[in-house]
Amino acid sequence: ARSEASTCMSSKVIEHPAYEKLRPVTDFASVILCKNPGAMELDGTNTWVLRAPGHDECVIVDPGPKGHPKHLKKLAAQGKVALTLITHHHFDHTGAIKKFRALTDSPVRAVRDKHTKGADTLSDGEVIEAAGLRITVLATPGHTDDSVSFLVEHGDQKAVVTGDTILGRGTTVIDPRGGTLADYMRSLDTLIELGSGVTLLPAHGPDHPDLLPVVQFYKQHR
């Protein structure tokens, strides 16, 4: 009976929003939604857990804000964290870095020195090999001046973690403290160049199976 129950639970589809639950999106990308909903955060901050099938180690993207220990414990329980990546400096993405690093001893990489711990800062176009995945850093400024996206590849499957550059619903804001519309429009073109069939993994809101039509809508809107 216990075996049957476990099988039923593992086969149950978890839908967005699902707070503090590991929700698979692709074969190599799952998400844990932090319970910090708000006007700017939508349902809350999506923390992405990236690993190729069969790998024990994982890569974490955006550990989230301060003050959510349950969220951090859930993340830390996903196995050894080979690397933590940061999409941009806003507090709902970076506030938990210190405590998460204390839990996992993971190196943290961001564009800004302030949020980089035990590793080098990120560079546009660099390729990171971790957790059985190929992760390419894409500079996508505009929302902020330090915004990056991560193109994640496993075999012929592709997904892109977009931070706040592209959201799961609605559109994003341009932060006047460094963000610019000109940069943002160029970043949309960068994402459009990825083409179709790339899964969208945003920092807020639901994921989408194809990035391209969402980015095209964003460009038309702007």
Side-chain angles (χ1 to χ4, degrees), residues 27-211:
D27 290 343
F28 56 86
S30 298
V31 64
I32 299 177
L33 175 61
C34 185
K35 198 169 186 178
N36 63 318
M40 303 302 291
E41 295 83 8
L42 303 181
D43 306 293
T45 300
N46 291 325
T47 297
W48 289 96
V49 182
L50 309 175
R51 63 155 59 90
H55 276 253
D56 294 330
E57 293 187 338
C58 66
V59 173
I60 297 293
V61 183
D62 291 344
K66 288 183 180 179
H68 294 268
K70 183 178 178 181
H71 183 69
L72 297 187
K73 289 178 181 178
K74 185 73 174 181
L75 292 176
Q78 301 311 310
K80 180 174 174 56
V81 181
L83 180 63
T84 300
L85 297 173
I86 303 298
T87 60
H88 65 294
H89 70 273
H90 283 161
F91 70 93
D92 54 317
H93 301 255
T94 60
I97 286 176
K98 184 176 180 180
K99 288 192 175 181
F100 187 62
R101 184 162 158 74
L103 283 174
T104 64
D105 198 33
S106 165
V108 181
R109 300 193 63 193
V111 170
R112 294 189 176 186
D113 287 331
K114 178 179 179 181
H115 302 115
T116 299
K117 310 293 179 183
D120 296 327
T121 54
L122 294 170
S123 299
D124 181 31
E126 76 167 290
V127 176
I128 299 167
E129 302 278 353
L133 302 172
R134 176 184 172 93
I135 302 172
T136 304
V137 181
L138 304 175
T140 50
H143 170 66
T144 64
D145 57 1
D146 66 330
S147 288
V148 291
S149 298
F150 300 108
L151 175 63
V152 188
E153 298 176 88
H154 179 251
D156 60 356
Q157 298 180 68
K158 296 181 181 180
V160 62
V161 182
T162 55
D164 286 5
T165 300
I166 303 291
L167 305 179
R169 69 171 187 271
T171 58
T172 195
V173 299
I174 306 299
D175 190 331
R177 299 163 296 179
T180 71
L181 182 57
D183 281 343
Y184 189 72
M185 295 300 285
R186 284 190 287 269
S187 293
L188 293 181
D189 287 337
T190 295
L191 294 173
I192 286 172
E193 288 174 4
L194 296 178
S196 61
V198 181
T199 303
L200 167 61
L201 311 177
H204 305 285
D207 46 274
H208 290 269
D210 195 350
L211 166 76

